[in-house]
C-alpha cells in the first residue's frame, strides 16, 4: 500500500489455549480512515491492544513509519503520536468534562482550570488550548456540559469525551475501539465527517473498530474484516461488505 504508516507483520497472540490473533498482517495507509470489523470475539480489541502497546504479541512485529515499535511501551508510542481509546472509556471521573479534554496539555494538570481562566496568569497559548478544547467539545456536543464531572455523563457521552481528549493530544495515528457505540446515528455520522476533515486537514491516520457497517461503507477508505483471530477480507468498503466470507462470519456468529 502506498504511504503505509503502520504495519502489522504476522502477529499472533494467545490467551492460554485460545488463539486471539492468528498470524495477522495488515497495513494502514497514511491519512486514511481504516476500519476493523468482525463479529464479537474476532480479535479486534486484541489487535488494537497490540498496536497500542498494552499487549505484547507472542510472535510477529509492529512497525510505525518503518520503525519497529513491537516492544515499545504505550507511553513511548504516545510520544510518537500513536494514541488510542478503550472499549470502556478511561476518564478521570471526578474531573470536569473540560479538564478531561485538557489533560494532554500538561500545564492544566497542576491547577484548577477555572482558577486559570479567571486569573490573569494565562498567556495566549493557554487561551488557545482552552479555545481548542471547547471547539472539540462543541463538535462532540458536550460543550454545554463543560463544568460537569465526567462521572455524570451517559455511556455514549463518556466515549465522546475520551475521543475529545485524544484529539486534543495532536495525534498522528489514532486507534479507536468502538468510539461510536451508544452514540445516536445522526451524531455518529457528524463525528465521522469531522474525522474525515481531521484526516484531510492534519493528515491524521485513523484505525477504527466499528460494528456499524453503514458507517463503515460511508466513511472508511479501507476495511479489514476479522473472524476468529484472522483477517478474512480486506479492501474498499464496497468490496469487503459484499464479500460472502464476511457475511457468513456475521450470520454464523449471530446464530
Ligand atoms: N485478557 C484476555 N484473557 C483471555 N482471553 C482474552 C483476553 N482478551 C481477549 N480474550 C479473548 O480473545 C478473543 C478475542 O477478543 P477481543 O476482545 O479481541 O474480540 P473483539 O473482536 O474485540 O470482540 P468485541 O466485538 O466483542 O469487542 C475472545 O475470545 C476473548 O474472549
Ligand atoms: Mg472489542
Amino acid at each position: 500500500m502506498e504511504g503505509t504508516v503502520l504495519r502489522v507483520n504476522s502477529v499472533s497472540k494467545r490467551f492460554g489455549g485460545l488463539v486471539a490473533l492468528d498470524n495477522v498482517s495488515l497495513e494502514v495507509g497514511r491519512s486514511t480512515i481504516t476500519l476493523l470489523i468482525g463479529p464479537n470475539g474476532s480479535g479486534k480489541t486484541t489487535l488494537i491492544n497490540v498496536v497500542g502497546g498494552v499487549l505484547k504479541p507472542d510472535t510477529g512485529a509492529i512497525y510505525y513509519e518503518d520503525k519497529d515499535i513491537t516492544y515499545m511501551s504505550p507511553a513511548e508510542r504516545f510520544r510518537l503520536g500513536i494514541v488510542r481509546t478503550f472499549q470502556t472509556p478511561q476518564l478521570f471521573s471526578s474531573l470536569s468534562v473540560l479538564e478531561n479534554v485538557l489533560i494532554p496539555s500538561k500545564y492544566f494538570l497542576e491547577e484548577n482550570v477555572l482558577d486559570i481562566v479567571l486569573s490573569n496568569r494565562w498567556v495566549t497559548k493557554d487561551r488557545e488550548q482552552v479555545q481548542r478544547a471547547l471547539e472539540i467539545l462543541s463538535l462532540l456536543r458536550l460543550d454545554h456540559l463543560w463544568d460537569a464531572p465526567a462521572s455524570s455523563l451517559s455511556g455514549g457521552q463518556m466515549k465522546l469525551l475520551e475521543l475529545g481528549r485524544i484529539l486534543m493530544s495532536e495525534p498522528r495515528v489514532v486507534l479507536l475501539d468502538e468510539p461510536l457505540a451508544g452514540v445516536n446515528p445522526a451524531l455518529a455520522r457528524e463525528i465521522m465527517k469531522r474525522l474525515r476533515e481531521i484526516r484531510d486537514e492534519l493528515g491524521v491516520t485513523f484505525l477504527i473498530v466499528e460494528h456499524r457497517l453503514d458507517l463503515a461503507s460511508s466513511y472508511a477508505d479501507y476495511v479489514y474484516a476479522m473472524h476468529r483471530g484472522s483477517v478474512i477480507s480486506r479492501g474498499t468498503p464496497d468490496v469487503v461488505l459484499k464479500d460472502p466470507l464476511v457475511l457468513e462470519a456475521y450470520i454464523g456468529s449471530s446464530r
Side-chain angles (χ1 to χ4, degrees):
M1 185 183 290
E2 196 195 328
T4 297
V5 68
L6 197 66
R7 194 149 53 87
V8 174
N9 208 354
S10 304
V11 162
S12 293
K13 179 73 190 173
R14 286 173 170 271
F15 296 108
L18 187 134
V19 182
L21 295 177
D22 187 5
N23 200 27
V24 169
S25 293
L26 54 84
E27 301 89 41
V28 180
R30 189 184 312 286
S31 309
T32 60
I33 294 180
T34 297
L35 244 81
L36 210 49
I37 65 169
N40 293 116
S42 54
K44 306 179 299 295
T45 296
T46 306
L47 186 66
I48 293 285
N49 283 338
V50 166
V51 174
V54 174
L55 288 176
K56 300 282 172 259
D58 299 331
T59 56
I62 320 280
Y63 297 90
Y64 169 66
E65 303 282 16
D66 291 328
K67 187 188 182 81
D68 187 344
I69 61 165
T70 316
Y71 296 100
M72 278 189 183
S73 68
E76 286 171 299
R77 293 178 209 219
F78 183 87
R79 281 193 287 275
L80 289 176
I82 305 171
V83 302
R84 56 89 50 94
T85 62
F86 289 84
Q87 194 163 358
T88 309
Q90 311 281 306
L91 298 169
F92 294 87
S93 53
S94 61
L95 295 184
S96 72
V97 164
L98 181 60
E99 284 167 326
N100 267 279
V101 176
L102 284 168
I103 278 168
S105 83
K106 297 174 263 343
Y107 181 88
F108 287 100
L109 272 180
E110 315 294 322
E111 289 183 78
N112 180 299
V113 173
L114 201 56
D115 287 347
I116 296 168
V117 173
L118 294 177
S119 74
N120 292 323
R121 284 171 295 131
W122 65 337
V123 288
T124 316
K125 185 161 182 358
D126 305 326
R127 193 173 298 155
E128 281 169 2
Q129 293 286 310
V130 173
Q131 188 66 42
R132 249 190 90 218
L134 288 172
E135 277 168 19
I136 289 170
L137 289 177
S138 155
L139 153 74
L140 300 171
R141 305 287 183 274
L142 292 173
D143 44 335
H144 62 295
L145 294 169
W146 71 275
D147 203 22
S151 57
S152 69
L153 300 184
S154 73
Q157 288 170 330
M158 285 185 187
K159 300 220 71 141
L160 295 177
L161 179 54
E162 198 188 31
L163 175 58
R165 186 170 64 205
I166 68 161
L167 292 179
M168 192 70 191
S169 72
E170 300 185 23
R172 300 310 307 154
V173 173
V174 177
L175 313 169
L176 302 174
D177 197 350
E178 299 190 33
L180 304 174
V183 174
N184 80 62
L187 180 53
R189 285 186 171 274
E190 255 181 83
I191 290 168
M192 287 304 295
K193 275 187 209 154
R194 184 66 189 130
L195 294 188
R196 275 171 92 143
E197 284 167 22
I198 292 170
R199 173 198 65 186
D200 296 340
E201 286 163 18
L202 305 174
V204 175
T205 303
F206 293 91
L207 178 60
I208 306 179
V209 174
E210 182 52 61
H211 270 295
R212 299 212 318 246
L213 302 185
D214 60 321
L215 286 178
S217 56
S218 313
Y219 298 100
D221 299 301
Y222 204 80
V223 181
Y224 285 93
M226 294 186 67
H227 185 43
R228 296 186 183 142
S230 299
V231 172
I232 57 166
S233 185
R234 59 170 68 191
T236 53
D238 50 331
V239 169
V240 173
L241 297 183
K242 283 194 197 123
D243 187 334
L245 276 178
V246 174
L247 299 176
E248 205 176 294
Y250 271 92
I251 293 164
S253 71
S254 67
R255 277 199 201 115

